[in-house]
Amino acid sequence: METTKVNERIFLASPHMSDEGYEMQYVQEAFDTNWIAPLGENVNGFEKELATKVGSKSAAALSSGTAAIHLALRAAGVGEGDIVFCPTLTFSATANPIIYQNAIPVFIDSNYETWNMCPNALEEAFEKYPEVKAVIVVHLYGLSADMDKIMEICKKHNIAVIEDAAESLGGYYKGQHTGTFGDYGIFSFNGNKIITTSGGGMLVSNNEEKVAKVRFWATQSRDQARHYQHSELGFNYRMSNVVAGIGRGQLKILDQRVEKKKYIFEFYKRELGELDGVEFMPVNEWDKPNYWLSSLILIGQVRPIDTMEALEKENIESRPIWKPMHLQPFFKKYDFVGTDVSEKLFENGVCLPSDTKMTDEDLQRVVKIIKGLWLK
């Protein structure tokens, strides 16, 4: 290993432009035409291109994935006092919009087979709360939830399904893009996602009328009138034309990013998989993940904190698995249905550096540090 590389920072998942510079073409067009605000050809183009890529009829480009979840809940008719089922093992951005709507989250446990929403716990939740209004499903770390079972349960109860695919763009379940099974799908282009616009999100749906409504809400619910008139509550949630230009360029290299993420995961699994007490995130035969973050659980003498601290000393970023929502101070007053799977994944899990800029030398550096913990 070159000495000059030893102290270089290795990030968990940081953004970067494509080598081909596709993004700058669209960004320059935005500046040339002076369409900088949340209107313009890049916004329209990004919506069409993303919808085509994932196989959805329509899309709305928004300011964040969180905004997309919020407006999906509104489109699904969720309002004050309504119950929404939500995975407990997720980032808070999945659950926060439920509160924005003055609705009530009920958190659902995971299973070890997918690390995502447990269908058995979901069934139990429907028995306890038959009046539920909507279900949010998350595809954690790019791993697909068991959508056949989940959709069967939700259809039986005639409930709206919102897929939080913020972490799984480019991933598939049985050959179909994640985010396209439910009534609404959500993608994020935040700075650490597999493709990024620096910040931004997208709502997709086959219900083109609902997507048009989402666009209306997202542009301050401005009515068709010569003057500024507003008959409904609106939001400043539309994506800018410049940001959308970056997204259009990044979308061209999505498949390349997925391949590199897969390479990183397989490198770690090959090098670390035989260590005592190491279990990698599950990849099922029906699941083609985007491997957004390479994650594992440690159930032996070496603990996640040992791994994270050892990497941190060498200027390498890692982090725990998401802390379940029902354990979070803000959300602990809400009900939880399940056992302790999500808690165990949190207690024993760690996300390894998965930046697509990582070289084999970088990966070997991470592996060497982790292997060293088993030699102590």
Side-chain angles (χ1 to χ4, degrees):
M1 185 182 298
E2 296 178 17
T3 305
T4 55
K5 297 274 288 185
V6 170
N7 292 320
E8 283 191 6
R9 180 73 166 166
I10 294 180
F11 292 94
L12 191 72
S14 64
H16 60 100
M17 292 291 191
S18 64
D19 293 335
E20 298 83 355
Y22 293 122
E23 299 90 344
M24 296 315 299
Q25 169 194 341
Y26 297 110
V27 171
Q28 188 60 51
E29 288 175 2
F31 284 115
D32 290 344
T33 59
N34 208 30
W35 284 105
I36 309 299
L39 294 168
E41 286 304 311
N42 281 335
V43 176
N44 299 335
F46 192 25
E47 289 174 341
K48 291 175 183 176
E49 290 156 11
L50 191 285
T52 299
K53 179 68 175 178
V54 302
S56 189
K57 288 184 180 179
S58 192
L62 303 169
S63 58
S64 68
T66 309
I69 295 173
H70 185 194
L71 296 188
L73 288 167
R74 286 180 65 86
V78 172
E80 185 170 3
D82 288 332
I83 292 172
V84 177
F85 293 159
C86 176
T88 189
L89 194 64
T90 187
F91 181 50
S92 63
T94 306
N96 286 337
I98 301 172
I99 307 301
Y100 300 165
Q101 286 300 101
N102 295 309
I104 302 168
V106 171
F107 296 111
I108 312 297
D109 204 3
S110 304
N111 59 22
Y112 288 118
E113 289 74 20
T114 67
W115 286 17
N116 285 301
M117 181 180 281
C118 174
N120 293 335
L122 179 61
E123 283 272 32
E124 184 182 345
F126 271 113
E127 292 173 5
K128 190 172 183 180
Y129 297 99
E131 70 278 20
V132 62
K133 189 76 172 183
V135 175
I136 301 177
V137 182
V138 175
H139 303 296
L140 196 74
Y141 300 129
L143 303 171
S144 174
D146 192 344
M147 292 308 295
D148 278 354
K149 292 180 181 177
I150 290 171
M151 291 304 297
E152 181 183 358
I153 294 167
C154 292
K155 286 178 180 178
K156 182 173 65 176
H157 293 275
N158 194 29
I159 295 299
V161 176
I162 299 167
E163 283 181 81
D164 181 349
E167 299 173 4
S168 69
L169 179 62
Y172 296 79
Y173 173 83
K174 294 187 176 180
Q176 181 175 336
H177 279 270
T178 55
T180 63
F181 290 85
D183 298 274
Y184 308 96
I186 303 304
F187 298 104
S188 171
F189 313 112
N190 193 29
N192 61 0
K193 296 301 187 290
I194 194 162
I195 66 170
T196 179
T197 60
S198 75
M202 192 80 74
L203 179 149
V204 300
S205 177
N206 288 330
N207 189 327
E208 296 177 82
E209 184 178 343
K210 288 288 190 179
V211 172
K213 191 67 173 181
V214 164
R215 293 195 193 106
F216 172 71
W217 287 330
T219 48
Q220 302 286 20
S221 295
R222 183 182 175 185
D223 293 336
Q224 291 289 333
R226 183 177 294 275
H227 52 275
Y228 284 85
Q229 178 167 299
H230 309 273
S231 302
E232 295 184 51
L233 178 66
F235 303 88
N236 185 18
Y237 277 174
R238 280 294 256 164
M239 182 182 286
S240 83
N241 201 41
V242 173
V243 165
I246 297 172
R248 295 181 76 184
Q250 292 261 311
L251 192 58
K252 292 180 181 294
I253 57 166
L254 172 60
D255 294 339
Q256 296 170 233
R257 292 268 173 90
V258 172
E259 284 303 310
K260 182 60 184 287
K261 293 280 191 179
K262 181 180 180 182
Y263 178 86
I264 292 168
F265 174 80
E266 290 179 343
F267 190 104
Y268 284 139
K269 191 169 185 180
R270 182 175 64 250
E271 294 292 328
L272 302 174
E274 298 302 316
L275 294 175
D276 183 52
V278 173
E279 294 182 8
F280 276 83
M281 62 188 195
V283 178
N284 294 286
E285 61 180 0
W286 39 257
D287 183 17
K288 185 181 176 184
N290 72 354
Y291 301 94
W292 176 55
L293 291 184
S294 292
S295 304
L296 51 79
I297 55 174
L298 300 171
I299 54 176
Q301 184 175 353
V302 175
R303 305 300 301 139
I305 189 63
D306 302 323
T307 304
M308 289 183 283
E309 288 182 347
L311 292 172
E312 192 174 70
K313 287 178 183 177
E314 299 299 325
N315 207 25
I316 298 172
E317 186 180 16
S318 61
R319 74 178 182 204
I321 297 292
W322 298 122
K323 182 177 182 179
M325 290 297 100
H326 74 280
L327 301 180
Q328 299 284 354
F330 180 80
F331 290 109
K332 65 182 180 180
K333 62 184 176 182
Y334 298 105
D335 200 7
F336 164 74
V337 178
T339 56
D340 64 351
V341 175
S342 57
E343 293 180 40
K344 293 299 184 185
L345 290 172
F346 164 61
E347 290 171 6
N348 298 308
V350 60
C351 301
L352 300 181
S354 305
D355 194 331
T356 54
K357 296 190 298 296
M358 292 178 71
T359 64
D360 282 1
E361 183 182 353
D362 294 328
L363 290 166
Q364 196 58 58
R365 179 179 156 198
V366 174
V367 164
K368 182 178 179 181
I369 293 167
I370 295 175
K371 282 183 175 179
L373 297 171
W374 271 259
L375 301 177
K376 293 183 177 179

